[in-house]
Amino acid sequence: MEKLTNFIELHYTNPEINSLISQTHEKATSYTKHFNQTEDFFLKLNDAYTVPHLPIHHNISEKEPSSAYMLNLKHVMSQVYGLVPDVFEGLRYWFDAEEIHKPLFYKLYEYKRAIFLYLLRLDLSFRHNAHEVIEKGDNDITTLYRTRQLFLDAHMIPIEEVVEDSGHIEGFKIKQLISQTWIGERGRGYFVQGIWMDDDLTKFFSRLFIKHPQNLYPFYPYVCTYKTICQNVISLSSQKRAQKLSSFLEVLNFLNPHLSTIQHDLLDAHFSEQLPYFQNLKKQVPAGLYTDWQNLEIRVYLNENGMREFIVED
């Protein structure tokens, strides 16, 4: 589903967490990258970390977290940062009152006068098939658990403007490239369901820049969200994030003249590589725009619980 606003507000950051993740860390980072069977991305770490009880409820009108919440989040971050310091290199913490179990971290990038917002979101929600229960939660607090899996997602978002007041960043105005992803509704009464084309746009954008017959499922390099085109980041170090900015800008420039036609085609049909306009565009893609993903390989396997997972090798 599309985001209904083109502005991301920044209300609260925490100097202690920012100080923690800016410390020099000499420990070598080692982890593997995976997707689970529901297509959620996670890192498998060498050692386990614990996630303490977190509050289940938070009034979204309160833009700053409680001291108890911050104390527990600092406990998590002191462990996680020690295990994967490169993932947080150059980032700052950002409290999201609407997603208190999914702490945010961000960094601004500028390349050839274009501005990008890098957003990394951890997911500390308890998962029965991935986490070891230490102490159960209740109606007010989450389960205390231990795990070697760090669930997250990371996107590079094109930005139109950084909004500041007296030198302080208040938020980011997104460069929205997609006019409308709402298609309509289906069903009746209580069973009415909205239909958006975001998933089909994601498949169109991603398959366009993946060489046939390379299969990267369930990874999509370019995703439609916030009514724009975002780069889906799975090479998480600071150096690798920056390296892909050049090709991402080329992708945006290549797609921009064609976006209205792509949206029009997907109003009446789900994405297929057999769509005439897709096939026509595929022939026009510069060879260099395939290179970011040509060494990426994703293999399926069964985990210790007999459930399907995918390992990412690059």
Side-chain angles (χ1 to χ4, degrees), residues 204-244:
F204 193 111
F205 301 150
S206 294
R207 288 306 309 174
L208 198 60
F209 301 102
I210 298 173
K211 270 198 169 182
H212 185 79
Q214 185 184 16
N215 180 20
L216 296 185
Y217 175 83
F219 173 63
Y220 296 100
Y222 305 103
V223 297
C224 174
T225 187
Y226 295 107
K227 283 190 178 179
T228 195
I229 304 166
C230 301
Q231 186 183 63
N232 197 357
V233 180
I234 57 172
S235 297
L236 300 165
S237 71
S238 180
Q239 180 183 10
K240 291 184 178 179
R241 286 178 238 142
Q243 283 175 347
K244 285 184 165 54

Short mmCIF file of all heavy atoms in Angstrom, two decimals, residues 204-244:
data_model
loop_
_atom_site.label_atom_id
_atom_site.label_comp_id
_atom_site.label_asym_id
_atom_site.label_seq_id
_atom_site.Cartn_x
_atom_site.Cartn_y
_atom_site.Cartn_z
N PHE A 204 7.96 -4.69 -11.92
CA PHE A 204 8.33 -4.10 -13.21
C PHE A 204 9.71 -3.45 -13.11
O PHE A 204 10.61 -3.73 -13.91
CB PHE A 204 7.29 -3.06 -13.61
CG PHE A 204 7.37 -2.60 -15.04
CD1 PHE A 204 6.38 -2.94 -15.95
CD2 PHE A 204 8.44 -1.81 -15.48
CE1 PHE A 204 6.45 -2.52 -17.27
CE2 PHE A 204 8.52 -1.39 -16.80
CZ PHE A 204 7.51 -1.73 -17.69
N PHE A 205 9.89 -2.56 -12.12
CA PHE A 205 11.16 -1.85 -11.97
C PHE A 205 12.33 -2.82 -11.74
O PHE A 205 13.41 -2.65 -12.30
CB PHE A 205 11.10 -0.87 -10.80
CG PHE A 205 10.03 0.18 -10.92
CD1 PHE A 205 9.43 0.71 -9.78
CD2 PHE A 205 9.63 0.65 -12.16
CE1 PHE A 205 8.45 1.68 -9.88
CE2 PHE A 205 8.64 1.62 -12.27
CZ PHE A 205 8.05 2.14 -11.12
N SER A 206 12.09 -3.84 -10.90
CA SER A 206 13.18 -4.74 -10.52
C SER A 206 13.57 -5.67 -11.66
O SER A 206 14.76 -5.82 -11.97
CB SER A 206 12.77 -5.56 -9.29
OG SER A 206 12.61 -4.72 -8.16
N ARG A 207 12.59 -6.29 -12.29
CA ARG A 207 12.92 -7.24 -13.36
C ARG A 207 13.56 -6.53 -14.56
O ARG A 207 14.32 -7.14 -15.32
CB ARG A 207 11.66 -7.98 -13.83
CG ARG A 207 11.12 -9.01 -12.85
CD ARG A 207 12.15 -10.03 -12.41
NE ARG A 207 12.84 -10.68 -13.51
CZ ARG A 207 13.85 -11.53 -13.37
NH1 ARG A 207 14.30 -11.82 -12.16
NH2 ARG A 207 14.42 -12.09 -14.41
N LEU A 208 13.28 -5.25 -14.70
CA LEU A 208 13.84 -4.50 -15.82
C LEU A 208 15.36 -4.46 -15.75
O LEU A 208 16.04 -4.45 -16.77
CB LEU A 208 13.28 -3.07 -15.80
CG LEU A 208 13.38 -2.25 -17.08
CD1 LEU A 208 12.64 -2.91 -18.23
CD2 LEU A 208 12.79 -0.85 -16.84
N PHE A 209 15.91 -4.46 -14.52
CA PHE A 209 17.36 -4.30 -14.35
C PHE A 209 18.04 -5.57 -13.84
O PHE A 209 19.13 -5.51 -13.29
CB PHE A 209 17.62 -3.12 -13.40
CG PHE A 209 17.05 -1.83 -13.91
CD1 PHE A 209 15.86 -1.33 -13.39
CD2 PHE A 209 17.67 -1.13 -14.93
CE1 PHE A 209 15.33 -0.15 -13.86
CE2 PHE A 209 17.13 0.04 -15.42
CZ PHE A 209 15.95 0.54 -14.88
N ILE A 210 17.38 -6.70 -14.02
CA ILE A 210 17.97 -8.00 -13.72
C ILE A 210 18.07 -8.78 -15.02
O ILE A 210 17.09 -8.91 -15.75
CB ILE A 210 17.11 -8.78 -12.70
CG1 ILE A 210 17.04 -8.03 -11.37
CG2 ILE A 210 17.69 -10.19 -12.48
CD1 ILE A 210 16.09 -8.65 -10.37
N LYS A 211 19.24 -9.30 -15.30
CA LYS A 211 19.43 -10.01 -16.56
C LYS A 211 18.67 -11.33 -16.57
O LYS A 211 18.70 -12.08 -15.60
CB LYS A 211 20.92 -10.28 -16.80
CG LYS A 211 21.63 -9.19 -17.57
CD LYS A 211 22.93 -9.70 -18.15
CE LYS A 211 23.49 -8.68 -19.13
NZ LYS A 211 24.73 -9.15 -19.76
N HIS A 212 18.00 -11.59 -17.65
CA HIS A 212 17.34 -12.88 -17.84
C HIS A 212 18.42 -13.94 -18.09
O HIS A 212 19.36 -13.67 -18.83
CB HIS A 212 16.38 -12.80 -19.03
CG HIS A 212 15.57 -14.03 -19.24
ND1 HIS A 212 14.46 -14.32 -18.48
CD2 HIS A 212 15.73 -15.05 -20.11
CE1 HIS A 212 13.96 -15.48 -18.89
NE2 HIS A 212 14.71 -15.93 -19.88
N PRO A 213 18.37 -15.14 -17.49
CA PRO A 213 17.30 -15.68 -16.65
C PRO A 213 17.63 -15.62 -15.15
O PRO A 213 17.18 -16.48 -14.40
CB PRO A 213 17.24 -17.12 -17.12
CG PRO A 213 18.69 -17.46 -17.40
CD PRO A 213 19.34 -16.18 -17.87
N GLN A 214 18.43 -14.66 -14.70
CA GLN A 214 18.80 -14.58 -13.30
C GLN A 214 17.56 -14.42 -12.42
O GLN A 214 16.70 -13.59 -12.69
CB GLN A 214 19.74 -13.38 -13.09
CG GLN A 214 20.30 -13.24 -11.68
CD GLN A 214 21.15 -11.98 -11.53
OE1 GLN A 214 21.07 -11.08 -12.37
NE2 GLN A 214 21.94 -11.92 -10.48
N ASN A 215 17.48 -15.22 -11.38
CA ASN A 215 16.33 -15.19 -10.47
C ASN A 215 16.78 -14.73 -9.09
O ASN A 215 17.57 -15.40 -8.44
CB ASN A 215 15.67 -16.57 -10.39
CG ASN A 215 14.48 -16.58 -9.45
OD1 ASN A 215 13.90 -15.53 -9.16
ND2 ASN A 215 14.11 -17.75 -8.99
N LEU A 216 16.28 -13.58 -8.63
CA LEU A 216 16.68 -13.04 -7.33
C LEU A 216 15.54 -13.10 -6.31
O LEU A 216 15.62 -12.47 -5.26
CB LEU A 216 17.16 -11.59 -7.47
CG LEU A 216 18.42 -11.39 -8.31
CD1 LEU A 216 18.85 -9.93 -8.28
CD2 LEU A 216 19.55 -12.29 -7.84
N TYR A 217 14.47 -13.83 -6.62
CA TYR A 217 13.36 -13.93 -5.67
C TYR A 217 13.87 -14.48 -4.34
O TYR A 217 14.67 -15.41 -4.32
CB TYR A 217 12.27 -14.85 -6.22
CG TYR A 217 11.14 -15.08 -5.25
CD1 TYR A 217 10.11 -14.16 -5.14
CD2 TYR A 217 11.14 -16.19 -4.40
CE1 TYR A 217 9.08 -14.36 -4.22
CE2 TYR A 217 10.13 -16.38 -3.48
CZ TYR A 217 9.11 -15.46 -3.39
OH TYR A 217 8.11 -15.64 -2.48
N PRO A 218 13.45 -13.91 -3.19
CA PRO A 218 12.40 -12.90 -3.01
C PRO A 218 12.91 -11.47 -2.90
O PRO A 218 12.24 -10.61 -2.33
CB PRO A 218 11.76 -13.34 -1.69
CG PRO A 218 12.90 -13.88 -0.90
CD PRO A 218 13.83 -14.53 -1.89
N PHE A 219 14.09 -11.19 -3.46
CA PHE A 219 14.66 -9.85 -3.39
C PHE A 219 14.24 -9.03 -4.61
O PHE A 219 14.33 -9.50 -5.75
CB PHE A 219 16.18 -9.93 -3.33
CG PHE A 219 16.87 -8.60 -3.43
CD1 PHE A 219 16.67 -7.63 -2.46
CD2 PHE A 219 17.71 -8.32 -4.49
CE1 PHE A 219 17.32 -6.40 -2.55
CE2 PHE A 219 18.36 -7.10 -4.58
CZ PHE A 219 18.15 -6.14 -3.61
N TYR A 220 13.79 -7.80 -4.35
CA TYR A 220 13.46 -6.85 -5.41
C TYR A 220 14.35 -5.63 -5.26
O TYR A 220 14.24 -4.90 -4.27
CB TYR A 220 11.98 -6.45 -5.35
CG TYR A 220 11.05 -7.61 -5.59
CD1 TYR A 220 10.43 -8.27 -4.53
CD2 TYR A 220 10.80 -8.06 -6.89
CE1 TYR A 220 9.59 -9.34 -4.75
CE2 TYR A 220 9.95 -9.14 -7.12
CZ TYR A 220 9.35 -9.77 -6.04
OH TYR A 220 8.52 -10.84 -6.27
N PRO A 221 15.26 -5.38 -6.20
CA PRO A 221 16.23 -4.28 -6.05
C PRO A 221 15.59 -2.90 -5.96
O PRO A 221 16.12 -2.03 -5.28
CB PRO A 221 17.09 -4.40 -7.31
CG PRO A 221 16.92 -5.81 -7.77
CD PRO A 221 15.54 -6.19 -7.40
N TYR A 222 14.46 -2.69 -6.65
CA TYR A 222 13.82 -1.39 -6.67
C TYR A 222 12.36 -1.54 -6.30
O TYR A 222 11.63 -2.31 -6.92
CB TYR A 222 13.97 -0.72 -8.05
CG TYR A 222 15.42 -0.64 -8.47
CD1 TYR A 222 15.94 -1.53 -9.42
CD2 TYR A 222 16.27 0.30 -7.90
CE1 TYR A 222 17.28 -1.47 -9.78
CE2 TYR A 222 17.61 0.36 -8.26
CZ TYR A 222 18.10 -0.53 -9.20
OH TYR A 222 19.43 -0.49 -9.54
N VAL A 223 11.94 -0.82 -5.27
CA VAL A 223 10.58 -0.99 -4.76
C VAL A 223 9.80 0.31 -4.85
O VAL A 223 10.35 1.41 -4.74
CB VAL A 223 10.59 -1.49 -3.29
CG1 VAL A 223 11.25 -2.85 -3.20
CG2 VAL A 223 11.30 -0.50 -2.37
N CYS A 224 8.49 0.17 -5.06
CA CYS A 224 7.60 1.31 -5.09
C CYS A 224 7.01 1.51 -3.70
O CYS A 224 6.27 0.67 -3.21
CB CYS A 224 6.48 1.07 -6.12
SG CYS A 224 5.23 2.38 -6.11
N THR A 225 7.36 2.61 -3.06
CA THR A 225 6.78 3.00 -1.79
C THR A 225 6.90 4.51 -1.67
O THR A 225 7.72 5.12 -2.35
CB THR A 225 7.46 2.29 -0.60
OG1 THR A 225 6.75 2.57 0.61
CG2 THR A 225 8.90 2.69 -0.46
N TYR A 226 6.08 5.15 -0.84
CA TYR A 226 6.03 6.61 -0.70
C TYR A 226 5.75 7.29 -2.05
O TYR A 226 6.14 8.43 -2.27
CB TYR A 226 7.36 7.15 -0.15
CG TYR A 226 7.70 6.73 1.25
CD1 TYR A 226 8.72 5.78 1.48
CD2 TYR A 226 7.04 7.27 2.35
CE1 TYR A 226 9.05 5.41 2.77
CE2 TYR A 226 7.37 6.88 3.64
CZ TYR A 226 8.37 5.96 3.85
OH TYR A 226 8.70 5.57 5.13
N LYS A 227 5.08 6.59 -2.97
CA LYS A 227 4.82 7.12 -4.32
C LYS A 227 6.12 7.50 -5.03
O LYS A 227 6.20 8.50 -5.75
CB LYS A 227 3.89 8.33 -4.28
CG LYS A 227 2.42 7.98 -4.06
CD LYS A 227 1.58 9.23 -4.27
CE LYS A 227 0.11 8.91 -4.11
NZ LYS A 227 -0.73 10.12 -4.30
N THR A 228 7.14 6.71 -4.82
CA THR A 228 8.40 6.95 -5.52
C THR A 228 9.10 5.61 -5.73
O THR A 228 8.57 4.55 -5.39
CB THR A 228 9.28 7.95 -4.74
OG1 THR A 228 10.32 8.40 -5.60
CG2 THR A 228 9.87 7.33 -3.49
N ILE A 229 10.30 5.67 -6.29
CA ILE A 229 11.11 4.46 -6.53
C ILE A 229 12.25 4.47 -5.53
O ILE A 229 13.06 5.41 -5.51
CB ILE A 229 11.66 4.43 -7.96
CG1 ILE A 229 10.52 4.55 -8.97
CG2 ILE A 229 12.46 3.15 -8.20
CD1 ILE A 229 10.99 4.86 -10.38
N CYS A 230 12.33 3.46 -4.70
CA CYS A 230 13.39 3.34 -3.69
C CYS A 230 14.30 2.17 -4.03
O CYS A 230 13.84 1.17 -4.59
CB CYS A 230 12.79 3.13 -2.30
SG CYS A 230 11.69 4.45 -1.77
N GLN A 231 15.54 2.31 -3.69
CA GLN A 231 16.48 1.20 -3.83
C GLN A 231 16.42 0.35 -2.58
O GLN A 231 16.53 0.86 -1.47
CB GLN A 231 17.89 1.72 -4.06
CG GLN A 231 18.91 0.62 -4.37
CD GLN A 231 20.31 1.20 -4.50
OE1 GLN A 231 20.85 1.74 -3.56
NE2 GLN A 231 20.87 1.09 -5.70
N ASN A 232 16.24 -0.94 -2.77
CA ASN A 232 16.20 -1.89 -1.66
C ASN A 232 17.65 -2.29 -1.34
O ASN A 232 18.32 -2.90 -2.17
CB ASN A 232 15.39 -3.12 -2.08
CG ASN A 232 14.95 -3.95 -0.91
OD1 ASN A 232 15.28 -3.67 0.23
ND2 ASN A 232 14.20 -5.00 -1.19
N VAL A 233 18.12 -1.93 -0.16
CA VAL A 233 19.54 -2.07 0.18
C VAL A 233 19.75 -3.34 1.01
O VAL A 233 19.16 -3.50 2.07
CB VAL A 233 20.05 -0.84 0.96
CG1 VAL A 233 21.53 -1.01 1.31
CG2 VAL A 233 19.82 0.43 0.16
N ILE A 234 20.61 -4.25 0.52
CA ILE A 234 20.99 -5.42 1.31
C ILE A 234 22.52 -5.50 1.49
O ILE A 234 22.99 -6.33 2.25
CB ILE A 234 20.45 -6.74 0.73
CG1 ILE A 234 20.91 -6.95 -0.71
CG2 ILE A 234 18.95 -6.82 0.84
CD1 ILE A 234 20.56 -8.34 -1.23
N SER A 235 23.26 -4.63 0.80
CA SER A 235 24.69 -4.46 1.07
C SER A 235 24.80 -3.29 2.03
O SER A 235 24.75 -2.13 1.63
CB SER A 235 25.46 -4.22 -0.22
OG SER A 235 25.37 -5.33 -1.09
N LEU A 236 24.95 -3.58 3.33
CA LEU A 236 24.61 -2.62 4.37
C LEU A 236 25.77 -1.76 4.87
O LEU A 236 25.53 -0.81 5.62
CB LEU A 236 23.99 -3.37 5.56
CG LEU A 236 22.71 -4.15 5.22
CD1 LEU A 236 22.38 -5.14 6.33
CD2 LEU A 236 21.55 -3.19 5.01
N SER A 237 26.99 -2.07 4.51
CA SER A 237 28.11 -1.25 4.99
C SER A 237 28.06 0.13 4.36
O SER A 237 27.48 0.33 3.28
CB SER A 237 29.44 -1.93 4.66
OG SER A 237 29.69 -1.88 3.27
N SER A 238 28.67 1.09 5.02
CA SER A 238 28.67 2.48 4.54
C SER A 238 29.28 2.58 3.15
O SER A 238 28.76 3.28 2.28
CB SER A 238 29.43 3.36 5.53
OG SER A 238 29.45 4.69 5.10
N GLN A 239 30.36 1.88 2.92
CA GLN A 239 31.04 1.93 1.63
C GLN A 239 30.14 1.39 0.51
O GLN A 239 30.03 2.00 -0.55
CB GLN A 239 32.34 1.13 1.68
CG GLN A 239 33.11 1.13 0.37
CD GLN A 239 34.36 0.27 0.43
OE1 GLN A 239 34.56 -0.47 1.38
NE2 GLN A 239 35.21 0.37 -0.57
N LYS A 240 29.49 0.26 0.75
CA LYS A 240 28.67 -0.35 -0.30
C LYS A 240 27.39 0.44 -0.55
O LYS A 240 26.89 0.49 -1.69
CB LYS A 240 28.36 -1.79 0.07
CG LYS A 240 29.59 -2.68 0.01
CD LYS A 240 29.28 -4.13 0.29
CE LYS A 240 30.53 -4.99 0.17
NZ LYS A 240 30.26 -6.42 0.45
N ARG A 241 26.84 1.07 0.49
CA ARG A 241 25.67 1.93 0.29
C ARG A 241 26.01 3.03 -0.71
O ARG A 241 25.25 3.31 -1.65
CB ARG A 241 25.25 2.59 1.61
CG ARG A 241 24.56 1.71 2.61
CD ARG A 241 24.28 2.53 3.87
NE ARG A 241 24.89 1.96 5.06
CZ ARG A 241 25.43 2.65 6.03
NH1 ARG A 241 25.46 3.98 5.98
NH2 ARG A 241 25.93 2.05 7.09
N ALA A 242 27.14 3.70 -0.46
CA ALA A 242 27.54 4.84 -1.29
C ALA A 242 27.88 4.42 -2.71
O ALA A 242 27.61 5.16 -3.67
CB ALA A 242 28.73 5.55 -0.65
N GLN A 243 28.45 3.22 -2.87
CA GLN A 243 28.87 2.76 -4.19
C GLN A 243 27.71 2.64 -5.17
O GLN A 243 27.87 2.82 -6.37
CB GLN A 243 29.58 1.42 -4.07
CG GLN A 243 31.01 1.51 -3.55
CD GLN A 243 31.64 0.15 -3.33
OE1 GLN A 243 30.95 -0.89 -3.34
NE2 GLN A 243 32.95 0.13 -3.13
N LYS A 244 26.51 2.32 -4.66
CA LYS A 244 25.37 2.08 -5.54
C LYS A 244 24.57 3.35 -5.85
O LYS A 244 23.60 3.30 -6.61
CB LYS A 244 24.45 1.02 -4.92
CG LYS A 244 25.02 -0.40 -5.04
CD LYS A 244 24.03 -1.42 -4.52
CE LYS A 244 24.39 -2.84 -4.95
NZ LYS A 244 25.75 -3.25 -4.61
#
